[in-house]
Amino acid sequence: MKSILQASKISKTYGMKGAATYTAIQDLSFSMNEGEFIGIMGPSGSGKTTLLNMVATLDPMTSGEISIDGVSISSMNEDQLSDFRSEKLGFIFQDFNLLENMTVFENISLPLSLQNTKLEKIQASVSQVSRLLGISDLTEKYPAELSGGQKQRTAIARALIHQPALLLADEPTGALDSRNAATLLETLADLNEDRKVSIMMVTHDPRSASYCSRLLFIKDGKLDRELRSRGSREEFHQEILTVLGDLDRRPVAGVRA
Amino acid sequence: MITKLALNGLKRKQRDYIILFTGLIISIAVFYMFLTMSLNKEFITQNSVINNIQSVFLVGTVMLSVITFFYLFYTNSFLLSLRKKEFGLYELIGAKKFQIRRVFQIETMAITAISLVIGLTLGILLSLLVSWLLMNGLNVEFTQFKIIYLPAVFWTMIYFLLVSFITSSVHNMRLAKSSIIDLLRSEVQNDIVPEKPKSAVLQIFLGVLLLGIGYFALYFMEQLRFIGLFTAPVATTLGTYLLFVALLPVIVRKWKRNKTVNFKGINSFTSGQLSFRLSNLKWVLATIAMLIALSAGAIAGGFAFKNNAFTSIDEYWQYDTTLYNPGAAETELLNSIPLEEQLTFRFKLDDETMYFVREELVATPPLVKDWVTYDVMRPGSLPENLEIEDGYQIVPDTWMSALETVNPALFGTRNSHIVPLIEYERAGGEEISVMLARTNDFAAHMEKWQELARLQESTYTALFAGFDPETDSVATKYAQFETQYAIASGTFFMGFFLGLAFLTMMASILMFKILSGANNDIRRYDSLRKLGVRRRLLENSIHREILIVFLFPGVLGLLHVLVGMRMFSFIMDDPYYRLWVSLLIFLAIYGGYYFFTVHLYRKIVLPRQ
């Protein structure tokens, strides 16, 4: 199976040299295959969002190497990173990050507009992806007129329209009620199952995590444990709860320097 | 404690405050300068030329104080809106309403006081500059002029403190009426989805119609008189507001509807930003368009007056200098000027009559203006027998003008008779010679004319009983030009600084309106950055967006000025003369504000590189 993401010995240290520094991620290595749905879990402050931001090329790492879809991002300049993001990555955020001043259609089509795609192609892609997510009736509305679930679907549509190599989601259900959250996660799982979309999701919610095919537990900036889903989703959920309880019981091994 | 908290809050909003108070400081400085120019008592009595300028500056003071009042009222309500949430928070933790109101009032007064100190200092420097420029421009000494004039300082302080007290009291009453919840929620404002226009077509039609009527009234002000004077401002203002409210959203929607353009790069984002911004700002933009018209109009009007001093003087005077009994000094000086024409005439005068030599006049008739056809010409043939009735000689109109041209200083003081040489020699009385000279460019030899006027002073004292060169003047082209030019220069400076003050205030409001929304935009630009939009693209979008926001009121305001300048044609020969200079000055200031706004906005919404 083709590897989509390779992270080797990545570290992230905040603060200036000499002054008080804080290591958020330390010598972390992992890889991800095409078509995987990986979840990143860990208590607050464990460094999971930092990890996602580094993979998302938003936050430069202090040391180490990340390559996505066979391309190393460590040596790219700001413009190259921008282009890389717009071509290879799709984002879903907790607070949707939709642009309120644009219609749903405009929001979804933005990644294609940025690549100067022909209008016919844009229209075809938007109608296809919005049908897939069940929001084709809403394309002329503004985000302010949508419900939370509809907003997040729009965000997913925007993240998918340019067929990115990797879809990154940061607490995507954080702002949704449980019913909308479940629908959203099923959508993500279906996308992963049917269309082989590679997804990496940060979450602290065990139920959300149970939709993943593999989980990475981060603690104090290090990879603490890995868990693979083998049986049903409910079994996986129980397994996750056990691991989390287990993690909480163990004494904290601090890495503050 | 509350005061201390409020002071900290003030510091946090420093940027917004500084922008708003640039307008106030400039207004104070100009206000002081106008007052100093118009109130300096010794200065008035000493200089007859200056007398005329002072009333001009007084008019400027009145206009400025009216606009300043509204500006202060507006900015003070902004200030309150900036602090509402904070005041709500104080109330939540137990501060009494009267304490908060006192804080707000003290704050407003303190800001006015600080602005006064800076503004007055700037005003003193401004008075120094303007008086120096006036002195040089008019070639006069302002010996009695005081740059630091206490009555002006006093009245400036009184006016601004009073206005800020009134406005903050009014807003304090509003503050007292609002509940804690209102205060706390005041910053949470949802973007209103731009509504679909229902009666846009009708509104646009009405707007264009009203603007047309306004422009028509401006253009035919001379014929319409009072009707025009009322119709023009009312119709133009209404038309402007209607157009901004109805036309702007339609333009953006049209633009968005062009899908090939809209879905290219981040154009859809730029147009989305614009449609929200323009619908939020349409009232402010319409107001700014009107005030731009006023300020550019003031600058252009003042400038046109100054230019008019040169063009109109040539309309009335065909000869650049008229020398009575010119001596060697005058002749020598005259020889140093490249002359187009030089004529000499003689006349004799007794108590009742002035006698001119017919042969001299017929041989070299001077240029006169025909006041019927407005042509410059030489008078036609002079009838042989000129009748005399009751001492008045009946001569053709053009020859009457010729006599006035030859002897402007004494024309009208006695009867003028044109007589043959033989008769002239028989007549008694003192003989005076007059020399007329003409160049092709009066303005080019201004210093020479001034010197000639000075040389003539002793002749005037000898010729005219009781002539005092300090207070009196003889009707000559240069003397008339001097007076006219002094008023024009005063009007020019008044217009320029009035325009500058208006412009600063308006641009401050526009800048503030754009920047106060910038905090909400940070998230948007951050999202775009995450989606992989290059920084350059974001910067371009910002440039274009703010340019269009500045452009609309600018274009309409300037259009008003272009049409409105015609209104001055009944007091000026050519109000459009060199209009581009004043427009260029205006554009430079307005453009400066644009770039500064872009710079500040960029600093807020984009992360540091």
Side-chain angles (χ1 to χ4, degrees), chain A residues 56 58 78-83 85-86 91 93 95 97-103 105-106 109-114 116-117 119 122-123 140 142 144-145 158, chain B residues 191 193-194 196 256 259-260 262-266 268-273 275-276 520 523-537 609:
Chain A
L58 294 170
E78 206 190 323
D79 280 349
Q80 287 168 326
L81 286 176
S82 288
D83 294 348
R85 281 201 294 277
S86 69
F91 292 93
F93 304 93
D95 50 359
N97 273 9
L98 292 178
L99 297 152
E100 306 90 359
N101 50 12
M102 293 158 70
T103 60
F105 188 100
E106 287 169 331
S109 65
L110 193 61
L112 292 182
S113 301
L114 282 175
N116 289 328
T117 312
L119 182 63
I122 292 181
Q123 281 168 327
E140 288 313 310
Y142 283 90
E145 301 167 294
R158 183 178 67 184
Chain B
D191 279 308
V193 175
K196 310 257 170 346
K256 287 189 84 158
K259 293 208 161 120
T260 351
N262 197 33
F263 291 104
K264 199 162 195 181
I266 53 168
S268 57
F269 173 74
T270 314
S271 61
Q273 279 282 90
S275 81
F276 270 79
N520 295 332
R523 258 169 50 95
R524 294 178 190 169
Y525 284 93
D526 190 49
S527 299
L528 287 172
R529 203 177 57 85
K530 283 179 181 164
L531 289 177
V533 183
R534 286 188 179 203
R535 195 187 170 91
R536 268 212 75 74
L537 226 54
Q609 262 175 322

Coordinates of all heavy atoms in Angstrom, one line a residue, chain A residues 56 58 78-83 85-86 91 93 95 97-103 105-106 109-114 116-117 119 122-123 140 142 144-145 158, chain B residues 191 193-194 196 256 259-260 262-266 268-273 275-276 520 523-537 609:
Chain A
A56 N 0.0 20.1 8.6 CA -0.8 21.0 7.8 C 0.1 22.1 7.2 O -0.4 22.9 6.4 CB -1.9 21.6 8.6
L58 N 1.3 24.5 8.6 CA 1.0 25.8 9.1 C 2.0 26.3 10.1 O 2.2 27.5 10.3 CB -0.4 25.8 9.7 CG -1.6 25.6 8.8 CD1 -2.9 25.4 9.6 CD2 -1.7 26.8 7.8
E78 N 7.5 30.0 1.9 CA 6.2 30.3 2.3 C 5.2 30.1 1.1 O 4.1 29.5 1.2 CB 6.0 31.7 2.8 CG 4.9 31.9 3.8 CD 4.6 33.3 4.1 OE1 5.6 34.1 4.3 OE2 3.4 33.7 4.3
D79 N 5.6 30.6 -0.1 CA 4.8 30.5 -1.3 C 4.6 29.1 -1.7 O 3.5 28.7 -2.0 CB 5.4 31.3 -2.4 CG 5.1 32.8 -2.3 OD1 4.2 33.2 -1.4 OD2 5.6 33.6 -3.0
Q80 N 5.7 28.3 -1.6 CA 5.6 26.9 -2.0 C 4.6 26.2 -1.1 O 3.9 25.3 -1.5 CB 7.0 26.3 -2.0 CG 7.8 26.7 -3.2 CD 9.3 26.3 -3.0 OE1 9.8 26.3 -1.9 NE2 9.9 26.0 -4.2
L81 N 4.7 26.5 0.2 CA 3.9 25.9 1.2 C 2.4 26.2 0.9 O 1.5 25.4 1.0 CB 4.2 26.3 2.6 CG 5.5 25.7 3.2 CD1 5.8 26.3 4.6 CD2 5.4 24.2 3.3
S82 N 2.2 27.5 0.6 CA 0.8 27.9 0.3 C 0.3 27.1 -0.9 O -0.9 26.6 -0.8 CB 0.8 29.4 -0.1 OG 1.0 30.2 1.0
D83 N 1.1 27.0 -2.0 CA 0.6 26.2 -3.1 C 0.4 24.8 -2.8 O -0.6 24.2 -3.2 CB 1.7 26.3 -4.3 CG 1.8 27.8 -4.8 OD1 0.9 28.6 -4.4 OD2 2.7 28.1 -5.5
R85 N -0.4 23.5 0.2 CA -1.7 23.4 0.9 C -2.9 23.4 0.0 O -3.8 22.6 0.1 CB -1.8 24.6 1.9 CG -1.0 24.4 3.2 CD -1.6 25.3 4.3 NE -1.4 26.7 4.0 CZ -0.3 27.4 4.3 NH1 0.8 26.8 4.7 NH2 -0.3 28.7 4.0
S86 N -2.8 24.4 -1.0 CA -4.0 24.5 -1.8 C -4.2 23.4 -2.8 O -5.3 23.1 -3.3 CB -4.0 25.9 -2.6 OG -3.0 25.8 -3.5
F91 N -8.9 21.0 4.6 CA -9.0 21.2 6.0 C -10.4 21.3 6.5 O -11.3 21.8 5.8 CB -8.4 22.6 6.4 CG -6.9 22.7 6.2 CD1 -6.4 23.1 5.0 CD2 -6.1 22.4 7.2 CE1 -5.0 23.2 4.8 CE2 -4.7 22.5 7.1 CZ -4.2 22.9 5.9
F93 N -12.2 22.5 10.2 CA -11.9 23.0 11.5 C -13.1 22.9 12.5 O -14.2 22.8 12.0 CB -11.5 24.5 11.4 CG -10.3 24.7 10.5 CD1 -10.6 25.1 9.2 CD2 -9.0 24.6 10.9 CE1 -9.5 25.3 8.3 CE2 -8.0 24.9 10.1 CZ -8.2 25.2 8.8
D95 N -14.4 25.2 14.2 CA -15.3 26.4 14.1 C -15.6 26.6 12.6 O -15.8 27.7 12.2 CB -14.8 27.6 14.8 CG -13.4 27.9 14.4 OD1 -12.8 27.1 13.7 OD2 -12.9 28.9 15.0
N97 N -14.6 27.7 10.0 CA -13.8 28.6 9.2 C -14.3 28.8 7.8 O -13.6 28.9 6.8 CB -12.3 28.1 9.1 CG -11.5 28.6 10.2 OD1 -12.1 29.1 11.2 ND2 -10.2 28.4 10.1
L98 N -15.7 28.9 7.7 CA -16.2 29.3 6.4 C -16.1 30.9 6.3 O -16.1 31.6 7.3 CB -17.7 28.9 6.4 CG -18.0 27.4 6.3 CD1 -19.5 27.2 6.3 CD2 -17.4 26.8 5.1
L99 N -16.0 31.3 5.1 CA -16.0 32.8 4.9 C -17.4 33.3 4.8 O -18.1 33.0 3.9 CB -15.2 33.1 3.6 CG -13.7 32.6 3.8 CD1 -13.1 32.2 2.5 CD2 -12.9 33.6 4.5
E100 N -17.8 34.1 5.9 CA -19.2 34.5 6.0 C -19.6 35.5 4.9 O -20.8 35.7 4.7 CB -19.4 35.2 7.3 CG -19.0 34.4 8.6 CD -17.6 34.7 9.0 OE1 -16.9 35.5 8.3 OE2 -17.1 34.2 10.0
N101 N -18.6 36.0 4.2 CA -19.0 37.0 3.2 C -19.2 36.4 1.9 O -19.4 37.1 0.9 CB -18.0 38.1 3.2 CG -16.6 37.6 3.0 OD1 -16.4 36.4 2.8 ND2 -15.6 38.4 3.2
M102 N -19.1 35.1 1.8 CA -19.3 34.4 0.5 C -20.4 33.4 0.6 O -20.6 32.8 1.7 CB -18.0 33.7 0.1 CG -16.9 34.7 -0.2 SD -15.3 34.0 0.0 CE -15.2 33.0 -1.4
T103 N -21.1 33.1 -0.5 CA -22.1 32.1 -0.5 C -21.5 30.7 -0.3 O -20.3 30.5 -0.5 CB -22.9 32.1 -1.8 OG1 -22.0 31.8 -2.9 CG2 -23.6 33.5 -2.0
F105 N -21.7 28.3 -2.4 CA -21.1 27.9 -3.7 C -19.7 28.5 -3.7 O -18.7 27.8 -4.1 CB -22.0 28.4 -4.8 CG -21.5 28.0 -6.2 CD1 -22.1 26.9 -6.8 CD2 -20.4 28.6 -6.8 CE1 -21.7 26.5 -8.0 CE2 -20.0 28.2 -8.0 CZ -20.6 27.1 -8.7
E106 N -19.6 29.8 -3.4 CA -18.3 30.5 -3.5 C -17.3 29.9 -2.5 O -16.1 29.7 -2.8 CB -18.5 32.0 -3.2 CG -19.1 32.7 -4.3 CD -19.5 34.1 -4.0 OE1 -19.8 34.4 -2.8 OE2 -19.6 35.0 -4.8
S109 N -16.1 26.5 -3.9 CA -15.3 26.5 -5.1 C -14.0 27.2 -4.9 O -13.1 27.1 -5.8 CB -16.1 27.3 -6.2 OG -16.3 28.6 -5.8
L110 N -13.8 27.9 -3.8 CA -12.6 28.6 -3.6 C -11.3 27.9 -3.9 O -10.4 28.4 -4.6 CB -12.5 29.2 -2.2 CG -11.5 30.3 -1.9 CD1 -11.7 31.5 -2.8 CD2 -11.5 30.7 -0.5
P111 N -11.1 26.6 -3.4 CA -9.8 25.9 -3.7 C -9.6 25.8 -5.2 O -8.5 25.8 -5.7 CB -10.0 24.6 -3.0 CG -10.9 24.8 -1.9 CD -11.9 25.8 -2.5
L112 N -10.7 25.6 -6.0 CA -10.6 25.4 -7.4 C -10.3 26.8 -8.1 O -9.5 26.9 -9.0 CB -11.8 24.8 -8.0 CG -12.1 23.3 -7.7 CD1 -13.3 22.8 -8.4 CD2 -10.9 22.5 -8.0
S113 N -11.0 27.8 -7.6 CA -10.7 29.2 -8.1 C -9.2 29.5 -8.0 O -8.6 30.1 -8.9 CB -11.5 30.2 -7.4 OG -12.9 29.9 -7.5
L114 N -8.7 29.1 -6.8 CA -7.3 29.5 -6.6 C -6.4 28.8 -7.6 O -5.3 29.4 -7.9 CB -6.9 29.0 -5.2 CG -7.4 29.9 -4.0 CD1 -7.1 29.3 -2.7 CD2 -6.8 31.3 -4.1
N116 N -7.2 28.5 -10.6 CA -7.6 29.0 -11.9 C -8.2 27.9 -12.8 O -7.9 27.8 -13.9 CB -6.5 29.7 -12.6 CG -6.2 31.0 -11.9 OD1 -7.0 31.7 -11.4 ND2 -4.9 31.4 -12.0
T117 N -9.1 27.1 -12.1 CA -9.8 26.1 -12.9 C -10.9 26.7 -13.7 O -11.4 27.8 -13.4 CB -10.5 25.1 -11.9 OG1 -9.5 24.8 -10.9 CG2 -11.0 23.9 -12.5
L119 N -14.4 27.6 -15.4 CA -15.7 27.8 -14.7 C -16.6 26.5 -14.9 O -17.2 26.1 -13.9 CB -16.4 29.0 -15.3 CG -17.7 29.4 -14.7 CD1 -17.6 29.7 -13.2 CD2 -18.4 30.5 -15.4
I122 N -15.5 24.0 -12.5 CA -15.8 24.4 -11.1 C -17.3 24.1 -10.8 O -17.6 23.4 -9.8 CB -15.6 25.9 -10.9 CG1 -14.1 26.3 -10.9 CG2 -16.2 26.4 -9.6 CD1 -13.8 27.7 -10.7
Q123 N -18.2 24.5 -11.8 CA -19.6 24.3 -11.5 C -19.9 22.8 -11.4 O -20.7 22.4 -10.6 CB -20.4 24.9 -12.7 CG -20.5 26.4 -12.4 CD -21.0 27.2 -13.6 OE1 -20.8 26.8 -14.8 NE2 -21.8 28.2 -13.4
E140 N -26.7 28.8 -2.7 CA -26.8 30.2 -2.9 C -26.9 30.9 -1.5 O -27.1 32.1 -1.5 CB -27.9 30.6 -3.8 CG -27.6 30.3 -5.3 CD -26.2 30.8 -5.7 OE1 -25.8 31.9 -5.5 OE2 -25.4 29.9 -6.3
Y142 N -25.9 32.1 2.4 CA -24.7 32.6 3.1 C -24.5 31.7 4.4 O -25.5 31.3 4.9 CB -24.8 34.0 3.5 CG -24.5 34.9 2.3 CD1 -25.5 35.4 1.5 CD2 -23.2 35.4 2.0 CE1 -25.3 36.2 0.4 CE2 -23.0 36.2 0.9 CZ -24.0 36.6 0.1 OH -23.8 37.4 -1.0
A144 N -24.2 32.4 7.4 CA -25.1 32.9 8.5 C -26.5 32.3 8.5 O -27.2 32.3 9.5 CB -25.2 34.4 8.5
E145 N -26.9 31.8 7.3 CA -28.2 31.3 7.1 C -28.3 29.7 7.4 O -29.3 29.1 7.2 CB -28.8 31.6 5.7 CG -28.8 33.1 5.5 CD -29.1 33.4 4.0 OE1 -28.2 33.1 3.2 OE2 -30.2 33.9 3.7
R158 N -15.8 21.9 0.8 CA -14.7 22.8 0.4 C -13.3 22.0 0.5 O -12.4 22.2 -0.3 CB -14.6 24.0 1.3 CG -13.6 25.0 0.9 CD -13.6 26.3 1.7 NE -13.2 26.0 3.1 CZ -13.2 26.9 4.0 NH1 -13.6 28.1 3.7 NH2 -12.9 26.6 5.3
Chain B
D191 N -22.8 39.5 10.9 CA -22.8 40.1 9.5 C -24.2 39.9 9.0 O -24.8 38.9 9.0 CB -21.8 39.3 8.6 CG -20.4 39.8 8.9 OD1 -20.2 41.1 8.8 OD2 -19.5 39.0 9.1
V193 N -26.7 39.5 6.2 CA -26.6 39.0 4.8 C -27.2 40.1 3.9 O -28.3 40.6 4.2 CB -27.4 37.7 4.7 CG1 -27.5 37.3 3.2 CG2 -26.8 36.7 5.5
P194 N -26.4 40.5 2.8 CA -26.9 41.6 2.0 C -28.3 41.2 1.4 O -28.5 40.2 0.8 CB -25.9 41.7 0.9 CG -24.8 40.8 1.2 CD -25.2 39.9 2.4
K196 N -31.7 41.3 -0.9 CA -31.9 41.5 -2.3 C -32.7 42.8 -2.5 O -33.7 43.0 -1.8 CB -32.8 40.3 -2.8 CG -32.2 39.0 -2.4 CD -31.5 38.3 -3.6 CE -30.7 37.1 -3.3 NZ -30.4 36.7 -1.9
K256 N -20.4 40.2 -9.4 CA -20.3 38.8 -8.9 C -21.0 37.9 -9.9 O -20.7 36.7 -10.0 CB -21.1 38.7 -7.5 CG -20.3 39.3 -6.4 CD -20.9 39.0 -5.1 CE -20.5 37.6 -4.6 NZ -20.6 37.5 -3.2
K259 N -19.4 35.2 -13.8 CA -18.8 34.1 -13.1 C -17.4 33.8 -13.5 O -16.6 33.4 -12.6 CB -19.7 32.8 -13.3 CG -21.0 33.0 -12.6 CD -21.6 31.7 -12.2 CE -22.7 31.8 -11.2 NZ -24.0 31.4 -11.6
T260 N -17.1 34.0 -14.8 CA -15.7 33.7 -15.2 C -14.7 34.6 -14.4 O -13.6 34.1 -14.1 CB -15.5 34.0 -16.7 OG1 -16.8 34.3 -17.3 CG2 -14.8 32.9 -17.4
N262 N -15.5 36.1 -11.4 CA -15.7 35.9 -10.0 C -15.0 34.7 -9.5 O -14.5 34.7 -8.4 CB -17.2 35.9 -9.7 CG -17.5 36.1 -8.2 OD1 -16.7 36.8 -7.5 ND2 -18.5 35.4 -7.7
F263 N -15.0 33.6 -10.3 CA -14.4 32.4 -9.8 C -13.0 32.2 -10.3 O -12.5 31.2 -10.7 CB -15.2 31.2 -10.2 CG -16.5 31.2 -9.5 CD1 -17.7 31.6 -10.1 CD2 -16.6 30.8 -8.1 CE1 -18.9 31.6 -9.3 CE2 -17.7 30.9 -7.4 CZ -18.9 31.2 -8.0
K264 N -12.2 33.3 -10.3 CA -10.8 33.3 -10.6 C -10.0 33.8 -9.4 O -10.3 34.8 -8.9 CB -10.6 34.2 -11.8 CG -9.3 33.9 -12.6 CD -9.4 34.5 -14.0 CE -8.4 34.0 -14.8 NZ -8.4 34.6 -16.2
G265 N -9.0 32.9 -9.0 CA -8.2 33.3 -7.9 C -9.1 33.6 -6.7 O -10.1 32.9 -6.4
I266 N -8.8 34.7 -5.9 CA -9.7 35.0 -4.8 C -10.6 36.1 -5.1 O -11.1 36.8 -4.2 CB -8.9 35.2 -3.5 CG1 -7.9 36.3 -3.7 CG2 -8.3 34.0 -3.0 CD1 -7.3 36.8 -2.3
S268 N -13.7 35.9 -5.8 CA -15.0 35.7 -5.1 C -14.9 36.2 -3.7 O -15.9 36.8 -3.2 CB -15.4 34.3 -5.2 OG -14.4 33.5 -4.6
F269 N -13.7 36.1 -3.1 CA -13.5 36.6 -1.7 C -13.6 38.1 -1.7 O -14.3 38.8 -0.9 CB -12.2 36.1 -1.1 CG -11.9 36.7 0.2 CD1 -12.6 36.3 1.3 CD2 -10.9 37.7 0.3 CE1 -12.3 36.9 2.6 CE2 -10.7 38.3 1.6 CZ -11.3 37.8 2.7
T270 N -12.8 38.7 -2.6 CA -12.7 40.2 -2.7 C -14.1 40.8 -2.9 O -14.5 41.7 -2.2 CB -11.8 40.7 -3.8 OG1 -10.6 39.9 -3.8 CG2 -11.5 42.1 -3.7
S271 N -14.9 40.2 -3.9 CA -16.2 40.8 -4.2 C -17.1 40.5 -3.0 O -18.0 41.3 -2.7 CB -16.8 40.2 -5.5 OG -16.9 38.8 -5.4
G272 N -16.9 39.4 -2.3 CA -17.8 39.1 -1.1 C -17.5 40.1 0.0 O -18.4 40.7 0.5
Q273 N -16.2 40.4 0.2 CA -15.9 41.4 1.2 C -16.5 42.7 0.8 O -17.1 43.4 1.7 CB -14.3 41.6 1.2 CG -13.6 40.6 2.0 CD -13.6 40.9 3.5 OE1 -14.5 40.4 4.1 NE2 -12.7 41.7 4.0
S275 N -19.1 43.4 -1.1 CA -20.6 43.5 -1.1 C -21.0 43.7 0.4 O -21.9 44.5 0.7 CB -21.2 42.3 -1.7 OG -21.3 41.3 -0.8
F276 N -20.3 43.1 1.3 CA -20.6 43.3 2.7 C -20.2 44.7 3.2 O -21.0 45.4 3.8 CB -19.9 42.3 3.6 CG -20.7 41.0 3.8 CD1 -20.8 40.1 2.8 CD2 -21.4 40.8 5.0 CE1 -21.5 38.9 3.0 CE2 -22.2 39.7 5.1 CZ -22.2 38.7 4.1
N520 N -12.6 41.8 12.9 CA -13.5 40.7 12.5 C -12.9 40.0 11.3 O -13.2 38.8 11.0 CB -14.9 41.2 12.1 CG -15.6 41.8 13.3 OD1 -15.3 41.3 14.4 ND2 -16.4 42.7 13.1
R523 N -9.9 36.6 11.2 CA -10.2 35.2 11.0 C -10.3 34.8 9.5 O -9.9 33.8 9.1 CB -11.6 35.0 11.7 CG -11.5 34.3 13.0 CD -12.9 34.4 13.6 NE -13.9 33.9 12.7 CZ -14.4 32.7 12.6 NH1 -14.0 31.8 13.5 NH2 -15.3 32.3 11.7
R524 N -10.9 35.7 8.8 CA -11.1 35.4 7.4 C -9.8 35.2 6.6 O -9.6 34.3 5.9 CB -11.9 36.5 6.7 CG -13.3 36.6 7.2 CD -14.1 37.7 6.6 NE -15.3 37.8 7.3 CZ -16.2 38.8 7.2 NH1 -15.9 39.8 6.3 NH2 -17.3 38.9 7.9
Y525 N -8.9 36.2 6.9 CA -7.6 36.1 6.2 C -6.8 34.9 6.7 O -6.0 34.3 6.0 CB -6.8 37.4 6.4 CG -7.4 38.5 5.5 CD1 -8.3 39.4 6.0 CD2 -7.0 38.6 4.2 CE1 -8.9 40.3 5.2 CE2 -7.5 39.5 3.4 CZ -8.5 40.4 3.9 OH -9.0 41.3 3.0
D526 N -7.0 34.6 8.0 CA -6.3 33.4 8.5 C -6.8 32.1 7.9 O -6.1 31.3 7.5 CB -6.6 33.3 10.1 CG -5.7 32.3 10.7 OD1 -4.5 32.3 10.5 OD2 -6.3 31.5 11.5
S527 N -8.2 32.1 7.7 CA -8.7 30.9 7.0 C -8.1 30.8 5.6 O -7.8 29.7 5.1 CB -10.3 31.0 6.8 OG -10.9 31.1 8.1
L528 N -8.1 31.9 4.9 CA -7.6 31.9 3.5 C -6.1 31.4 3.5 O -5.7 30.7 2.6 CB -7.7 33.3 2.9 CG -9.1 33.7 2.5 CD1 -9.1 35.2 2.1 CD2 -9.6 32.8 1.4
R529 N -5.4 31.9 4.5 CA -4.0 31.5 4.5 C -3.9 30.0 4.7 O -3.1 29.3 4.1 CB -3.3 32.2 5.7 CG -1.8 32.4 5.6 CD -1.3 33.2 6.8 NE -1.7 32.6 8.1 CZ -1.0 31.6 8.7 NH1 0.1 31.2 8.1 NH2 -1.4 31.1 9.8
K530 N -4.7 29.5 5.6 CA -4.7 28.0 5.9 C -5.1 27.2 4.6 O -4.6 26.2 4.4 CB -5.7 27.7 7.0 CG -5.1 28.0 8.4 CD -6.1 27.6 9.4 CE -5.5 28.0 10.8 NZ -6.6 28.0 11.8
L531 N -6.0 27.8 3.8 CA -6.4 27.1 2.6 C -5.4 27.2 1.5 O -5.5 26.6 0.5 CB -7.7 27.8 2.1 CG -9.0 27.5 2.9 CD1 -10.1 28.2 2.3 CD2 -9.3 26.0 2.9
G532 N -4.3 27.9 1.8 CA -3.2 27.9 0.8 C -3.2 29.1 -0.1 O -2.8 29.0 -1.3
V533 N -3.8 30.2 0.3 CA -3.7 31.4 -0.5 C -2.4 32.1 -0.3 O -2.0 32.4 0.9 CB -4.9 32.4 -0.2 CG1 -4.8 33.6 -1.2 CG2 -6.2 31.7 -0.4
R534 N -1.7 32.4 -1.3 CA -0.4 33.1 -1.2 C -0.6 34.5 -0.6 O -1.6 35.2 -0.9 CB 0.3 33.3 -2.5 CG 0.9 32.0 -3.0 CD 1.7 32.3 -4.3 NE 2.3 31.1 -4.8 CZ 3.4 31.2 -5.6 NH1 4.0 32.3 -5.9 NH2 3.9 30.1 -6.1
R535 N 0.4 35.0 0.2 CA 0.4 36.2 0.8 C 0.2 37.4 -0.2 O -0.6 38.3 0.1 CB 1.7 36.5 1.6 CG 1.6 37.6 2.6 CD 2.9 37.9 3.2 NE 2.9 39.1 3.9 CZ 2.6 39.2 5.2 NH1 2.3 38.1 5.9 NH2 2.5 40.3 5.9
R536 N 0.8 37.3 -1.3 CA 0.7 38.3 -2.3 C -0.7 38.5 -2.8 O -1.2 39.6 -3.0 CB 1.6 38.0 -3.5 CG 3.0 38.6 -3.5 CD 3.5 38.9 -4.9 NE 2.8 40.1 -5.4 CZ 3.1 41.3 -5.0 NH1 4.1 41.5 -4.1 NH2 2.5 42.4 -5.5
L537 N -1.4 37.4 -3.0 CA -2.8 37.4 -3.4 C -3.7 38.0 -2.4 O -4.6 38.8 -2.7 CB -3.2 35.9 -3.6 CG -3.9 35.6 -4.9 CD1 -3.2 36.0 -6.1 CD2 -4.2 34.1 -4.9
Q609 N 5.6 38.8 8.8 CA 6.4 37.9 7.9 C 7.6 37.4 8.7 O 8.2 38.1 9.4 CB 6.8 38.6 6.7 CG 5.9 38.3 5.5 CD 6.2 39.1 4.3 OE1 6.6 40.3 4.4 NE2 6.1 38.5 3.1

